[in-house]
């Protein structure tokens, strides 16, 4: 706040000190602006270089078929989308001074689209200044492109003005908020783009071609900025989702590789997407299920250790050594995955069935038959049945496995599969002691299916920031699905409200808190 003449000290030395302090603050602001400008210039330069490379490759592609060239184009398209999305995220978080914000030339919305007028009258019926009668004065019109039931529509927000007949005081309702400040995209269109990209696995440049068939030109750069802005806008909601999932109790965890384009050399590196799922419906719980995804640039154990630093309870996961430190102090109990162990035996059985693999699969099948009978029952009942029926089968299974090892070569694949079971034995049988735990980790594996399908279609992420954005969207989309809610309807509702929603009440926008307001999907 500027100093008034009366607040300035009369002492000359004090004034000099005040000026030096002010000069330091001004220089600090200049340095910040310079740093931001340099970062923006570097990213803008890379974006322009990528556009030039794409244009060149597409000219080379014309008239001949080359799978290698197609993959190179796909790689650069994905990288370009993620870089532009970073611009959108930065603009949404207002990290750049207003004077340096990117100016984007905007084409008029197509005239052939139907228009829907949303008339917004001033809330006052009488002049707030003098109490006089208001009379029409004019109106401000802004347009927003929306997608309703997969059909484009332009919604015109018409804010009528009124003026007092007595004192000429003018009143007008405030402009309705938008998910993206000054953006033309409505919440329904943004939700459609996000679900198409992260749930239906359509890259933005493919979506752009689809929309063009409806006569709507939405270039990839525009949509990429929207995606980045939406990711930044919904970050507080995902943080709330993370807090819910990592409460004390029982969670399932798994990870999957995610190829990511490494900057500079055009090669990909293998990053990871981790998922943590809270879902106790199989043990009769009515608590809402939810999934939180996290992106990391590699698979080092420090990542799950960091994610679960404050978690206490039961962690159901595979035998990844990175979890070992989490179990070391006893605050987290380990529950392993029988399906993972069974898969090792089943793979051998599929290649060549033997007496050993056949018998092992039969015994594991008996354990799963017990689980089918008690699915949905309360934890105490599940524990009693498991102790009475499953535990004796498991004890006998262990004896049989150890006896089979004496008849097999130490180097055989069957021996390795059996040793995997025995090395994990205490964690594999833990579910018999805890009715809340499950026999396997399929809950987490099922949650990863969405991003695994996307990985097959995209081949890779364009940057680390793209992986983090994907984790944000997968968290919301998969959590909506777990609660039987249409992800597109959910994201549309969130984007329509979150910009103005109090941050200390953002939990209200979690999927299960909106279930009665949104359309559902079949399980």
């Amino acid at each position: 706040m500027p100093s008034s003449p009366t607040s300035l000290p009369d002492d000359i030395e004090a004034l000099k000190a005040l000026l030096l302090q002010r000069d330091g603050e001004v220089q600090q602001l200049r340095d910040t602006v310079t740093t931001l400008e340099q970062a923006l210039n570097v990213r803008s330069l890379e974006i322009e270089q990528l556009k030039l490379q794409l244009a060149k490759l597409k000219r080379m592609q014309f008239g001949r078929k080359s799978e290698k060239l197609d993959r190179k184009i796909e790689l650069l398209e994905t990288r370009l989308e993620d870089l532009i999305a970073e611009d959108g995220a930065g603009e949404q978080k207002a990290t750049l001074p207003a004077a340096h914000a990117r100016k984007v030339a905007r084409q008029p919305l197509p005239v052939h689209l139907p228009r829907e007028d949303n008339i917004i009258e001033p809330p006052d019926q009488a002049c707030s200044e003098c109490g006089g009668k208001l009379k029409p004065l004019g109106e401000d019109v802004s347009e927003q492109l929306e997608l309703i039931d997969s059909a484009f529509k332009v919604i015109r927000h018409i804010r009528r003005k009124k003026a007092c007949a007595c004192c000429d005081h003018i009143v007008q309702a405030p402009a309705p908020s938008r998910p993206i400040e000054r953006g033309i995209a409505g919440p329904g269109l943004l939700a459609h783009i996000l679900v198409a990209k992260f749930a239906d696995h359509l890259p933005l440049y493919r979506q752009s071609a689809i929309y063009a068939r409806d006569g709507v030109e939405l270039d990839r750069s525009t949509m990429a900025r929207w995606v980045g802005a939406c990711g930044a806008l919904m970050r507080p909601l995902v943080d709330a989702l993370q807090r819910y999932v990592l409460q004390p109790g029982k969670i399932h965890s798994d990870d999957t590789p995610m190829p990511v384009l490494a900057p500079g050399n055009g090669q990909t590196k293998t990053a990871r997407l981790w998922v943590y799922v809270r879902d106790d419906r199989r043990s009769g719980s009515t608590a809402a299920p939810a999934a939180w995804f996290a992106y990391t640039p590699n698979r080092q154990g420090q990542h799950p250790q960091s994610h679960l630093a404050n978690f206490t309870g039961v962690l159901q996961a595979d035998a990844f050594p990175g979890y070992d430190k989490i179990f070391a102090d006893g605050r987290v109990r380990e529950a392993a995955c029988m399906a993972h162990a069974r898969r090792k035996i089943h793979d051998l059985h599929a290649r060549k069935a033997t007496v050993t693999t056949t018998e092992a699969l039969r015994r594991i099948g008996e354990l799963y038959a017990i689980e089918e009978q008690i699915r949905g029952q309360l934890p105490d009942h599940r524990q009693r049945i498991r102790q009475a029926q499953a535990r004796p089968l498991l004890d006998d299974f262990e004896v049989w496995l150890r006896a089979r090892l004496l008849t097999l070569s130490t180097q055989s694949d069957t021996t390795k599969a059996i040793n995997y079971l025995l090395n994990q034995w205490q964690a594999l049988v833990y579910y018999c002691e805890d009715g809340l735990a499950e026999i396997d980790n399929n809950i987490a594996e099922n949650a990863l299916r969405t991003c695994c399908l996307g990985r097959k279609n995209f081949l890779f992420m364009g940057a680390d920031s793209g992986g983090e954005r994907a984790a944000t969207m997968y968290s919301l989309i998969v959590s909506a699905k777990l609660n039987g809610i249409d992800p597109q309807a959910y994201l549309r509702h969130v984007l329509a409200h979150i910009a103005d929603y109090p941050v200390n009440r953002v939990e209200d926008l979690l999927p299960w808190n909106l279930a009665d307001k949104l359309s559902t999907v079949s399980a």
Side-chain angles (χ1 to χ4, degrees):
M1 180 179 294
S3 301
S4 65
T6 56
S7 67
L8 293 173
D10 295 326
D11 182 65
I12 293 178
E13 293 302 319
L15 283 170
K16 288 180 178 179
L18 190 62
L19 284 171
L20 288 173
Q21 179 184 355
R22 185 68 54 85
D23 288 345
E25 293 172 351
V26 170
Q27 186 59 45
Q28 186 176 6
L29 288 172
R30 286 174 176 165
D31 292 342
T32 301
V33 170
T34 299
T35 301
L36 290 171
E37 287 179 333
Q38 289 173 347
L40 180 60
N41 289 338
V42 169
R43 192 154 59 208
S44 298
L45 180 61
E46 186 174 359
I47 288 173
E48 292 306 316
Q49 289 174 339
L50 284 171
K51 288 180 178 178
L52 290 173
Q53 290 180 51
L54 277 169
K56 179 180 178 181
L57 287 171
K58 287 178 179 178
R59 287 195 300 271
M60 293 170 58
Q61 185 189 36
F62 182 77
R64 67 188 183 94
K65 180 67 177 175
S66 169
E67 291 184 2
K68 184 175 181 181
L69 193 58
D70 289 344
R71 190 181 186 283
K72 179 70 173 177
I73 291 174
E74 184 119 349
L75 185 148
L76 292 178
E77 294 273 17
T78 306
R79 173 66 176 164
L80 185 58
E81 286 181 11
D82 281 327
L83 280 175
I84 298 173
E86 271 302 287
D87 279 352
E91 291 164 8
Q92 182 67 21
K93 292 184 288 188
T95 55
L96 290 174
H100 295 83
R102 185 183 297 274
K103 301 296 189 296
V104 181
R106 181 177 298 163
Q107 297 295 324
L109 293 174
V111 296
H112 72 274
L113 295 180
R115 257 65 177 174
E116 175 183 309
D117 289 349
N118 177 25
I119 306 296
I120 307 168
E121 297 282 359
D124 300 327
Q125 301 302 314
C127 178
S128 59
E129 299 294 321
C130 70
K133 183 180 178 180
L134 297 174
K135 62 181 180 180
L137 176 66
E139 60 190 25
D140 290 334
V141 180
S142 62
E143 292 191 334
Q144 187 176 42
L145 184 65
E146 183 58 293
L147 185 68
I148 299 176
D149 295 330
S150 299
F152 285 106
K153 178 188 291 187
V154 176
I155 296 178
R156 302 172 71 230
H157 300 290
I158 302 172
R159 297 188 297 130
R160 289 179 173 164
K161 299 177 182 179
K162 291 186 177 180
C164 177
C166 300
C167 69
D168 292 332
H169 176 66
I170 298 173
V171 297
Q172 186 181 33
S177 68
R178 301 186 178 214
I180 301 173
E181 189 68 27
R182 299 182 300 277
I184 64 168
L189 175 58
L190 292 172
H192 182 86
I193 290 171
L194 293 171
V195 170
K197 178 176 173 63
F198 294 102
D200 300 331
H201 323 301
L202 280 174
L204 297 181
Y205 68 92
R206 293 182 186 170
Q207 292 189 51
S208 179
I210 293 171
Y211 300 145
R213 291 199 293 267
D214 286 332
V216 178
E217 298 294 334
L218 290 179
D219 64 86
R220 176 196 55 234
S221 299
T222 297
M223 289 190 290
R225 288 193 178 87
W226 291 348
V227 170
C230 289
L233 183 63
M234 293 191 285
R235 187 68 247 176
L237 182 59
V238 175
D239 291 342
L241 186 64
Q242 176 186 358
R243 292 192 295 271
Y244 175 84
V245 170
L246 300 185
Q247 291 179 95
K250 184 263 297 180
I251 59 172
H252 294 257
S253 176
D254 201 359
D255 67 286
T256 190
M258 189 61 62
V260 176
L261 186 63
N265 58 12
Q267 302 298 312
T268 58
K269 62 180 181 180
T270 302
R272 308 299 288 198
L273 272 178
W274 305 80
V275 67
Y276 301 91
V277 186
R278 177 174 294 275
D279 187 353
D280 296 327
R281 291 174 292 178
R282 295 183 182 181
S283 56
S285 174
T286 58
W292 173 63
F293 286 76
Y295 169 85
T296 61
N298 52 53
R299 204 197 185 200
Q300 295 177 3
Q302 66 189 27
H303 301 305
Q305 292 160 22
S306 173
H307 299 156
L308 301 173
N310 298 315
F311 174 73
T312 58
V314 176
L315 173 63
Q316 194 124 24
D318 60 22
F320 174 51
Y323 294 124
D324 291 347
K325 288 187 178 181
I326 298 171
F327 304 128
D329 59 5
R331 63 184 174 82
V332 179
R333 292 295 304 272
E334 179 183 10
C337 176
M338 186 66 74
H340 197 78
R342 180 189 181 279
R343 198 171 299 130
K344 294 182 177 298
I345 297 174
H346 181 269
D347 290 345
L348 296 175
H349 187 77
R351 291 207 310 263
K352 182 179 180 182
T354 65
V355 173
T356 300
T357 59
T358 302
E359 177 63 12
L361 292 175
R362 184 193 68 80
R363 288 173 179 265
I364 295 175
E366 289 181 336
L367 298 171
Y368 273 90
I370 296 171
E371 291 303 300
E372 286 295 325
Q373 298 172 14
I374 60 175
R375 179 167 296 182
Q377 300 296 316
L378 294 176
D380 288 346
H381 177 72
R382 282 157 53 103
Q383 184 185 20
R384 286 196 300 271
I385 298 299
R386 287 168 174 173
Q387 287 291 336
Q389 299 181 24
R391 191 59 199 244
L393 295 178
L394 283 162
D395 291 342
D396 188 52
F397 190 23
E398 181 185 13
V399 172
W400 180 84
L401 287 171
R402 295 190 183 280
R404 293 305 300 165
L405 281 181
L406 300 177
T407 68
L408 298 170
S409 166
T410 57
Q411 301 301 316
S412 73
D413 290 336
T414 304
T415 297
K416 294 176 183 177
I418 291 176
N419 278 330
Y420 177 86
L421 270 85
L422 294 175
N423 290 338
Q424 298 295 312
W425 195 253
Q426 291 307 311
L428 284 170
V429 302
Y430 172 79
Y431 79 101
C432 289
E433 303 173 20
D434 187 346
L436 195 64
E438 300 297 334
I439 189 173
D440 57 35
N441 197 35
N442 284 349
I443 286 175
E445 292 188 6
N446 290 340
L448 282 175
R449 285 182 179 176
T450 295
C451 51
C452 290
L453 289 171
R455 180 180 61 208
K456 290 180 180 179
N457 213 24
F458 287 137
L459 301 180
F460 42 78
M461 296 291 181
D464 286 334
S465 59
E468 292 165 0
R469 216 167 2 259
T472 292
M473 295 307 167
Y474 287 140
S475 297
L476 297 174
I477 289 171
V478 173
S479 292
K481 288 182 177 180
L482 286 173
N483 286 273
I485 297 171
D486 175 11
Q488 186 167 323
Y490 172 64
L491 290 181
R492 177 175 183 163
H493 183 93
V494 168
L495 289 166
H497 294 87
I498 194 169
D500 296 327
Y501 213 81
V503 70
N504 60 346
R505 290 175 45 209
V506 73
E507 291 84 358
D508 297 346
L509 299 179
L510 291 171
W512 51 93
N513 292 327
L514 300 173
D516 59 339
K517 302 177 182 178
L518 303 174
S519 59
T520 58
V521 293
S522 57

